[in-house]
Amino acid sequence: MSNIEERAAKALDDPENWPAEPKEAVARQRLLADRVRTEPLDPDSVRYVAGLDVSYGVGDTELAAAAVVLDARTLEIVDTSLVADTPSFPYISGLFAFRELPPVLKAIQGLSVAPDVFVCDGFGLAHPRRFGIASHLGVLIDAPVIGSAKSVLYGRNSPPGEERGSWTPMVAGRSELVDDTETLAAEGAEVVGRVLRTRARTKPVYVSVGHRVDLAGSADLILRLSPKYRIPEPIRHADRLCGQYRKEHKERLEGSVEG
């Protein structure tokens, strides 16, 4: 068992990590948020990167999680782990980690290739309590994690230029589109992420530090992982595979019941 697998198993087995009540979950976030660390990330040193995603079923009665490891240089899939599960925490904005991380951690346990960096379809520091799912995962397994989201949960933001690679800072505050976050950041506003254009004339993605990475290195790596599509390849593959796996798992269950 690798160090990452051991940490994932330990995190799953600790009942303090999985409160049943939303108020307790918020308190747990505030406690763990102090453990988030920012460290330099050199994209050139990353060999393997894992994309993580969760797919929900109709009525949220079942879900599937995927951990898909890609070679960061060739973007070829080198390892995949898929898990079917049922949610054990309600669907509450800002508390998705308590609902989604248990199956994600189980999927990580199933990997045979240890990633250098994980990429979550979600947020890290771009979160009201600076502890989105990317930060939460990173702290639990003490690994480098980047948040790359398709929409905004928290943070004032302004649109970047239309060309690929353009970006603007996201700064602290409720989710709001403003004219000029670069000026706000220069005036001292807290930077919580970047709005990054991964494909010309296409909606941007929202990159934030999860744990043990820095914002510039994270944005650089996300851009490298998005040579063709808006969504980074690790997340794109994870999204496709966990959605497919959830449907296949449901069909197998229905078939066994009919049989």
Side-chain angles (χ1 to χ4, degrees), residues 17 26 30 36 47 72 76 94 98 149 152 174 187 205 217 229:
N17 286 328
V26 170
R30 288 178 171 145
V36 174
R47 176 67 188 279
E76 294 179 352
F98 297 96
V152 181
R174 65 183 178 86
E187 292 174 347
V205 297
Y229 300 102

Side-chain angles (χ1 to χ4, degrees), residues 1-75:
M1 182 180 288
S2 70
N3 289 336
I4 293 294
E5 287 179 273
E6 291 177 358
R7 293 173 200 151
K10 184 177 179 181
L12 275 170
D13 290 341
D14 186 350
E16 289 189 357
N17 286 328
W18 314 113
E21 298 298 327
K23 287 184 179 180
E24 296 174 353
V26 170
R28 187 68 179 167
Q29 283 183 328
R30 288 178 171 145
L31 175 68
L32 295 179
D34 288 338
R35 302 183 190 179
V36 174
R37 303 199 310 274
T38 299
E39 299 176 0
L41 173 65
D42 177 11
D44 290 330
S45 69
V46 176
R47 176 67 188 279
Y48 296 118
V49 57
L52 307 170
D53 201 12
V54 174
S55 173
Y56 291 95
V58 176
D60 292 338
T61 57
E62 74 279 332
L63 53 77
V68 183
V69 181
L70 273 64
D71 185 308
R73 296 172 176 81
T74 65
L75 298 184

Side-chain angles (χ1 to χ4, degrees), residues 27-233:
R28 187 68 179 167
Q29 283 183 328
R30 288 178 171 145
L31 175 68
L32 295 179
D34 288 338
R35 302 183 190 179
V36 174
R37 303 199 310 274
T38 299
E39 299 176 0
L41 173 65
D42 177 11
D44 290 330
S45 69
V46 176
R47 176 67 188 279
Y48 296 118
V49 57
L52 307 170
D53 201 12
V54 174
S55 173
Y56 291 95
V58 176
D60 292 338
T61 57
E62 74 279 332
L63 53 77
V68 183
V69 181
L70 273 64
D71 185 308
R73 296 172 176 81
T74 65
L75 298 184
E76 294 179 352
I77 296 176
V78 298
D79 196 11
T80 301
S81 176
L82 301 165
V83 171
D85 208 344
T86 54
S88 58
F89 192 86
Y91 187 96
I92 301 174
S93 180
L95 297 176
F96 287 166
F98 297 96
R99 183 181 180 87
E100 299 185 357
L101 281 186
V104 165
L105 289 166
K106 292 175 186 177
I108 289 172
Q109 285 183 277
L111 292 174
S112 57
V113 176
D116 300 302
V117 178
F118 293 86
V119 180
C120 280
D121 182 15
F123 302 94
L125 295 181
H127 181 275
R129 290 173 289 281
R130 310 300 184 272
F131 202 66
I133 191 169
S135 296
H136 204 144
L137 174 65
V139 167
L140 289 183
I141 63 173
D142 192 25
V145 184
I146 299 169
S148 178
K150 297 184 283 290
S151 59
V152 181
L153 170 69
Y154 172 86
R156 291 177 287 174
N157 59 96
S158 56
E162 291 294 328
E163 64 273 16
R164 182 177 186 271
S166 297
W167 62 272
T168 55
M170 294 176 64
V171 300
R174 65 183 178 86
S175 176
E176 180 183 16
L177 192 64
V178 298
D179 291 335
D180 184 8
T181 54
E182 291 184 13
T183 297
L184 293 175
E187 292 174 347
E190 178 189 2
V191 175
V192 296
R194 282 189 183 181
V195 184
L196 176 65
R197 189 86 66 188
T198 53
R199 189 178 182 192
R201 296 175 297 280
T202 302
K203 290 181 180 179
V205 297
Y206 303 89
V207 180
S208 56
V209 167
H211 184 60
R212 292 184 54 191
V213 294
D214 67 330
L215 187 54
S218 296
D220 188 349
L221 182 59
I222 291 298
L223 191 63
R224 296 184 188 199
L225 296 173
S226 313
K228 186 176 180 181
Y229 300 102
R230 174 197 176 209
I231 306 302
E233 289 294 287

